[in-house]
Amino acid sequence: MTPVPIPAGRVKTLKIDGRDVSGYENQTILEIARENNIHIPTLCNLEGLDDIGACRLCLVEIKGLARLLPACVTRVQEGMEVLTDTERLRRHRRMVIELLLSERNHVCAVCVSNGHCELQSLAQTLGVNHVHVPYRYPRMAVDATHGRFGVDHNRCILCTRCVRVCDQIEGAHTWDVAGRGVEAMIISDLKQDWGASATCTSCGKCVQVCPTGALFVKGKAVGEMTKQREFLPYLTLMREGEK
Amino acid sequence: MTPEELHELAQAHLEADKKLSHCLFVCGAAACLAARSDAVIEAFQAAVKARGLEESVAVKNAGCMGLCALGPLVRVEPAGVLYQQVTPEDAGAILDGLGGPPVERLVCPTDVPFYQRQFNIVLENSGHIDSESLDDYVARGGYAALAKALTAMTPGQVVDEVTTSGLRGRGGGGYRTGLKWSTVAKAPGQKKYVICNADEGDPGAFMDRSVLESDPHRVLEGMAIAAYAVGANEGYIYVRAEYPLAIKRLADAIRKAQRAGVLGNAIMGTTFSFQVDLRLGAGAFVCGEETALISSIEGKRGTPRPRPPYPAEFGLWGRPTLINNVETFANVPAIVRNGGHWFASIGTEKSAGTKVFALAGRVVNTGLIEVPMGITLREIIYDIGGGIPEGRKFKAVQTGGPSGGCIPQQYLDMPVDYESLAQVGSIMGSGGMIVMDETSCMVDVARFFMDFCRTESCGRCVPCRVGTTHMHTLLTRITDGSATLDDLALLEELCEMVKQTSLCGLGQTAPNPVISTLRYFRDEYLAHIVEKRCPAGVCRMTRAPKEVAV
Ligand SMILES: Cc1cc2nc3c(=O)[nH]c(=O)nc-3n(C[C@H](O)[C@H](O)[C@H](O)COP(=O)(O)O)c2cc1C
Ligand code: SF4
Ligand code: FES
């Protein structure tokens, strides 16, 4: 793991899954868990981007609290007792994956990201071998108007990593979300063709951060779309240095 | 205007009113307006002119008088007579009858439980003042509470008074208002904001709209007092664009209050300044959620974000922000004027004061009511509401809209307060109250609310976005006869999951209508699924397998 600049602040000690750990007060439960090799599944989180707590995979139990809290945005507190892998959490996480798989058309066998897909690998590690909820099979578009990249909305899980990397790292804000509920869609500019976008710099960062095969480089066959994400922590580190 | 001038204005206005022999209050709020009360006002004005009575009879464009279903309503003072379903043609007859016995065929009796059982704080001025007149509001003690706070109390004392009152948020959550105010007051930072949440999105609810249309200054005064208490100088009212009359009245009230020096710079000659601006919501239910609302004011997409940090600490533009509901603010002037102890003596120990409800559905009297907390559901439905029409049987009452639940017969004698409602699986909510009788199918009701949540979900978090959609699909299967018992089990599993894992209140409470109907009316679900029959005869069961269909 890349070295993180040391955040200022007071040190807190807490328990995660029974282990005594410590962290700075402005660090999140997820960061501290990762430092200690405690694995919490995530999807909308990506190191280097602001967290939005949207996928709900990282929910953890906190002793004395009825509510479940997302580890990616919850700051550590003194004496906190965190449980990351209870039966209830595992059940909820499996359901999150089932909901995502049923929402659009995730047909791994014909997907460019088959074998390199975060949704697919989460389904495997979390033990989702059957989808109990009704599939929606919506009709979704594919936008192949961009010269080098394409977006296949059938595979999009609305994690908004592309939106955030484009806004927060590239500074272009080409992507955003339109519509609400299951009708929500990732759009480029004001819902124009990607190829016609006046703001897109064709940097390809969105493609690299997309966890599934929704954003892809053209010309890849099934299973060929691997993604490079190392640039993100590197870029963040360089920016910190400039400050 | 200094506090002394304010007092003089009130006195002068009262004197002027004494010279009048009669005052006619015509309701000009949305429901009566829809029944053409504007034409009634014009007819009265013309008739007064024709008779040369301008000196002795005033016609006022007043606020809501409660019995909206019988509008347009007209109140004649000082006789205290209320007329219902008044048409422009009736104006002459009513005017000619002034001083004599009332026009019998139009009289709406007010010595009935509908009025007698109510207790008005928030609505105390509704229907008693001209909604567009600052002078009328001042004459009834308006802005005196703000004057008292600014000249005789420290901000800390104001917070204490609100804490003593026991007032709790009327926007649905019931969070202690005093505690919220003191948190914002203590939050570090020079710049703070006060926001009034007037997004009122619950289907069928119109409490806040009515307050804003009938008595807009009351909300402004409450906000100004709050701003003084927490140390804010800027405020926003986030009001949904579907309320054009409320917006017009608010804009007008802000202008008049600024001109009179009770809002704006150096209020009442003190060093305290408070500017209020309107922001219009574009009709998304989720924008009533406080963090989504703030995001919308900031010009971003109206989606909630995880809390903590709460707006009290990190709100609008990252500053400490006090956000309260319209009705919450509307209670504040009365609390400051009469003291926290007075307010705490009304209602129950843990739920002080009154609550405004929009009574709807299968009851005789529908409309807007304000009742003391602790009143029973039976009193509301049978005394105030006049019972179920056509001799039908009561089945359930729904409170809290899409976040609430259905309360069955056996709890009719339960007091209406935050804790009791929560205990039986519903919530106080913002004040929607829908009465259902035997002709309502509880599965269909649950499906209606789920359809609402599904389309209003912002789509940010997975459980709410996809979960509500699937729950709606499963409920539709039940109502069209194609569901199996496995579908029911899956529905219950999703209820639990969506409730526990959603990001904001919308998703967390979306399963409530299903959970509560399953708790009390499971037999109805089973009749649909197993017998392929809708006991209330509402669902058409079009996809039921032929052999068991009845
Ligand atoms: C989905 C959702 C919709 C809401 N809509 C409203 C609303 O229309 N009006 C309102 O005052 N509060 C609404 N709330 C509650 C607000 O988030 C907030 O708690 C409230 O405005 C605080 O004011 P109070 O303490 O005076 O009740 C809503 C909450 C949720 C989760
Ligand atoms: S619970 Fe629903 S409305 Fe709230 S953030 Fe999640 S998707 Fe949006
Ligand atoms: S990783 Fe925390 S909610 Fe998605």
Side-chain angles (χ1 to χ4, degrees):
Chain A
M1 186 159 287
T2 32
V4 197
I6 293 174
R10 264 171 289 174
V11 178
K12 308 276 174 190
T13 57
L14 60 152
K15 266 190 169 57
I16 301 184
D17 292 340
R19 276 169 57 188
D20 289 309
V21 295
S22 65
Y24 292 102
E25 64 182 352
N26 56 357
Q27 285 188 293
T28 63
I29 296 175
L30 182 64
E31 287 172 311
I32 304 303
R34 282 188 180 156
E35 274 178 21
N36 291 281
N37 292 319
I38 297 169
H39 179 74
I40 301 175
T42 58
L43 201 44
C44 63
N45 160 275
L46 191 64
E47 207 180 324
L49 300 180
D50 284 357
D51 279 308
I52 53 168
C55 75
R56 317 306 282 171
L57 272 179
C58 72
L59 287 179
V60 293
E61 288 185 31
I62 292 174
K63 203 174 162 192
L65 207 66
R67 272 169 68 201
L68 305 174
L69 290 182
C72 64
V73 291
T74 308
R75 316 249 161 225
V76 296
Q77 273 171 28
E78 186 62 39
M80 226 179 198
E81 288 184 42
V82 184
L83 292 175
T84 72
D85 197 27
T86 64
E87 178 44 42
R88 170 161 70 135
L89 294 174
R90 278 190 293 244
R91 205 170 61 232
H92 288 337
R93 287 173 187 152
R94 281 197 299 270
M95 185 56 93
V96 168
I97 300 294
E98 281 193 43
L99 292 179
L100 285 175
L101 289 172
S102 65
E103 183 181 16
R104 296 193 179 178
N105 307 305
H106 294 278
V107 191
C108 301
V110 295
C111 179
V112 287
S113 281
N114 191 8
H116 320 284
C117 168
E118 287 182 43
L119 180 64
Q120 188 183 42
S121 70
L122 276 165
Q124 282 158 1
T125 49
L126 295 172
V128 180
N129 43 28
H130 184 80
V131 173
H132 302 80
V133 292
Y135 279 100
R136 291 182 59 246
Y137 300 122
R139 282 180 157 271
M140 307 296 302
V142 179
D143 179 353
T145 55
H146 191 280
R148 286 164 52 209
F149 314 122
V151 51
D152 179 354
H153 292 285
N154 290 289
R155 316 274 194 252
C156 172
I157 57 171
L158 294 168
C159 67
T160 70
R161 283 188 194 177
C162 54
V163 177
R164 284 173 286 151
V165 81
C166 184
D167 177 40
Q168 295 163 15
I169 306 294
E170 179 63 10
H173 204 138
T174 299
W175 296 110
D176 213 322
V177 183
R180 48 179 197 238
V182 274
E183 305 296 326
M185 283 257 287
I186 297 294
I187 53 162
S188 39
D189 286 355
L190 297 169
K191 211 167 181 176
Q192 287 138 319
D193 286 346
W194 192 0
S197 169
T199 57
C200 175
T201 61
S202 300
C203 71
K205 290 189 179 69
C206 53
V207 176
Q208 301 304 333
V209 300
C210 172
T212 69
L215 289 167
F216 56 89
V217 177
K218 282 185 170 176
K220 301 277 181 188
V222 170
E224 280 185 3
M225 187 64 233
T226 53
K227 308 214 169 168
Q228 269 90 45
R229 308 229 163 86
E230 298 72 37
F231 72 93
L232 250 186
Y234 173 73
L235 276 183
T236 329
L237 196 64
M238 295 306 286
R239 288 196 176 181
E240 293 289 332
E242 279 170 21
K243 274 192 196 150
Chain B
M1 195 154 46
T2 63
E4 293 75 34
E5 286 165 354
L6 191 73
H7 185 72
E8 277 164 25
L9 175 71
Q11 292 307 320
H13 198 70
L14 287 175
E15 285 303 316
D17 270 358
K18 272 194 200 136
K19 296 211 184 81
L20 296 171
S21 67
H22 296 278
C23 200
L24 298 169
F25 294 94
V26 184
C27 174
C32 283
L33 193 57
R36 307 286 341 156
S37 67
D38 49 345
V40 175
I41 294 180
E42 277 168 25
F44 269 115
Q45 281 163 343
V48 166
K49 214 166 188 177
R51 287 166 179 71
L53 294 172
E54 289 103 325
E55 293 292 310
S56 59
V57 177
V59 180
K60 299 198 174 195
N61 184 347
C64 184
M65 303 179 201
L67 267 178
C68 305
L70 297 177
L73 295 169
V74 178
R75 181 200 308 279
V76 182
E77 295 292 351
V81 178
L82 189 66
Y83 291 117
Q84 64 188 30
Q85 291 174 324
V86 179
T87 61
E89 293 74 49
D90 297 327
I94 292 179
L95 274 181
D96 294 336
L98 287 181
V103 184
E104 214 49 64
R105 72 189 158 87
L106 296 170
V107 168
C108 175
T110 49
D111 54 349
V112 290
F114 181 83
Y115 284 106
Q116 308 260 308
R117 297 304 278 272
Q118 295 198 40
F119 189 102
N120 290 340
I121 299 176
V122 171
L123 303 178
E124 63 181 351
N125 290 339
S126 287
H128 292 277
I129 59 168
D130 185 329
S131 316
E132 293 179 0
S133 163
L134 173 70
D135 294 2
D136 268 20
Y137 180 64
V138 170
R140 292 204 27 128
Y143 288 107
L146 178 61
K148 179 179 170 187
L150 294 183
T151 54
M153 296 167 86
T154 64
Q157 284 169 331
V158 178
V159 173
D160 286 347
E161 205 66 67
V162 173
T163 308
T164 309
S165 75
L167 175 65
R168 295 171 67 171
R170 302 295 195 238
Y175 191 79
R176 299 202 168 273
T177 307
L179 184 57
K180 201 186 260 184
W181 286 27
S182 83
T183 313
V184 180
K186 282 179 189 152
Q190 286 300 306
K191 185 99 203 145
K192 294 177 187 178
Y193 293 97
V194 169
I195 297 177
C196 174
N197 188 341
D199 196 47
E200 195 165 53
D202 283 15
F206 58 98
M207 300 75 54
D208 296 347
R209 186 191 74 197
S210 185
V211 173
L212 294 173
E213 287 174 356
S214 310
D215 201 4
H217 285 287
R218 187 177 197 84
V219 181
L220 296 179
E221 186 180 1
M223 286 180 75
I225 294 172
Y228 174 70
V230 303
N233 297 111
E234 273 179 59
Y236 290 95
I237 305 178
Y238 188 90
V239 48
R240 52 186 304 182
E242 292 92 330
Y243 285 177
L245 185 60
I247 294 166
K248 178 172 157 283
R249 295 244 161 106
L250 273 173
D252 180 63
I254 293 173
R255 206 166 39 242
K256 285 179 179 153
Q258 279 172 343
R259 206 172 295 151
V262 292
L263 210 63
N265 288 324
I267 296 177
M268 298 189 191
T270 66
T271 55
F272 174 66
S273 300
F274 182 56
Q275 313 287 348
V276 179
D277 250 325
L278 292 181
R279 286 290 177 274
L280 306 194
F285 173 63
V286 73
C287 282
E289 199 279 338
E290 52 192 28
T291 59
L293 187 153
I294 288 171
S295 167
S296 171
I297 293 184
E298 289 173 350
K300 300 188 216 138
R301 187 174 150 87
T303 46
R305 60 157 177 80
R307 302 173 308 170
Y310 289 91
E313 204 186 318
F314 189 91
L316 186 60
W317 316 114
R319 314 284 187 158
T321 302
L322 174 73
I323 174 161
N324 274 131
N325 167 258
V326 171
E327 197 184 326
T328 314
F329 281 125
N331 272 299
V332 170
I335 291 174
V336 172
R337 206 178 331 124
N338 304 329
H341 287 293
W342 163 79
F343 191 83
S345 71
I346 303 157
T348 70
E349 196 190 329
K350 285 194 177 152
S351 306
T354 59
K355 180 77 194 86
V356 181
F357 287 104
L359 189 60
R362 306 275 162 77
V363 272
V364 175
N365 305 323
T366 56
L368 204 68
I369 60 167
E370 181 174 6
V371 290
M373 297 270 193
I375 191 172
T376 66
L377 285 167
R378 188 184 297 281
E379 285 171 287
I380 294 181
I381 295 162
Y382 286 91
D383 296 349
I384 296 175
I388 318 294
E390 295 166 36
R392 292 221 188 87
K393 213 168 139 283
F394 168 89
K395 189 188 247 177
V397 53
Q398 213 278 348
T399 66
S403 319
C406 294
I407 305 168
Q409 174 93 32
Q410 64 258 42
Y411 297 116
L412 270 180
D413 291 306
M414 190 192 76
V416 173
D417 60 55
Y418 290 97
E419 280 73 25
S420 305
L421 287 170
Q423 213 165 27
V424 297
S426 189
I427 59 164
M428 177 75 75
S430 56
M433 190 176 272
I434 305 167
V435 181
M436 289 172 273
D437 67 14
E438 55 202 344
T439 60
S440 313
C441 167
M442 302 317 276
V443 188
D444 191 54
V445 168
R447 193 180 79 105
F448 167 81
F449 284 114
M450 194 54 73
D451 190 37
F452 180 84
C453 291
R454 167 184 77 117
T455 47
E456 292 299 332
S457 160
C458 81
R460 172 169 263 198
C461 72
V462 182
C464 169
R465 181 178 79 226
V466 196
T468 54
T469 299
H470 286 333
M471 284 195 278
H472 179 258
T473 304
L474 295 168
L475 287 163
T476 305
R477 281 186 192 170
I478 299 178
T479 54
D480 72 16
S482 63
T484 63
L485 285 171
D486 285 346
D487 288 328
L488 183 63
L490 183 57
L491 179 65
E492 296 195 84
E493 194 182 335
L494 281 169
C495 280
E496 189 211 342
M497 186 267 182
V498 172
K499 193 179 170 81
Q500 290 186 18
T501 59
S502 290
L503 189 159
C504 86
L506 196 158
Q508 287 159 9
T509 59
N512 285 357
V514 183
I515 295 174
S516 81
T517 47
L518 268 170
R519 177 163 159 193
Y520 300 119
F521 302 97
R522 199 179 184 87
D523 51 336
E524 283 195 33
Y525 280 83
L526 291 176
H528 284 80
I529 298 168
V530 181
E531 298 165 40
K532 305 294 173 197
R533 177 179 71 83
C534 174
V538 174
C539 307
R540 289 207 301 270
M541 316 300 280
T542 45
R543 293 184 55 215
K546 286 284 171 292
E547 61 274 25
V548 273
V550 273

